[in-house]
Amino acid sequence: MIIDILSYSLIVIGIIFWFWGTFPLLGHRSVLFKLHSLSVADTLGSMSIVVGLLLKIPVEWPLLLLALITLAIWNTVLGYVLAYCSSSGGKE
């Protein structure tokens, strides 16, 4: 019972992070700021949902653990690529 409540709470928190990350897209800031806000909120939301699923269906822990690791690595690398591309100013 407690595990179900915690699992559903994490899934709802993840969905809230997803929607919260889309609001900066409507602002007047730079594109890179918008992408950064979106990627951070998307990463936190997705990881929260995956942890909620891990609590809900622990039998699938290898696949869900792989999903958590992949989310952390992929979004970190994407952030570095965006920062590198923005700092070079498009010059090769």
Side-chain angles (χ1 to χ4, degrees):
M1 182 70 176
I2 299 287
I3 297 293
D4 287 337
I5 292 171
L6 185 60
S7 173
Y8 289 129
S9 297
L10 285 170
I11 291 171
V12 167
I13 288 170
I15 292 171
I16 289 170
F17 268 119
W18 277 354
F19 284 113
W20 183 42
T22 59
F23 291 128
L25 295 177
L26 303 173
H28 297 291
R29 293 204 167 201
S30 71
V31 173
L32 293 174
F33 176 82
K34 292 177 183 181
L35 283 175
H36 174 69
S37 300
L38 181 64
S39 67
V40 168
D42 184 45
T43 301
L44 292 174
S46 298
M47 291 178 106
S48 176
I49 289 171
V50 170
V51 170
L53 289 174
L54 183 62
L55 292 174
K56 191 74 177 152
I57 43 175
V59 177
E60 299 292 333
W61 74 267
L63 183 62
L64 293 171
L65 185 64
L66 180 65
L68 278 172
I69 293 168
T70 304
L71 276 168
I73 292 173
W74 173 252
N75 285 332
T76 303
V77 169
L78 180 62
Y80 283 123
V81 168
L82 283 172
Y84 177 76
C85 291
S86 69
S87 67
S88 66
K91 298 177 184 175
E92 305 250 342

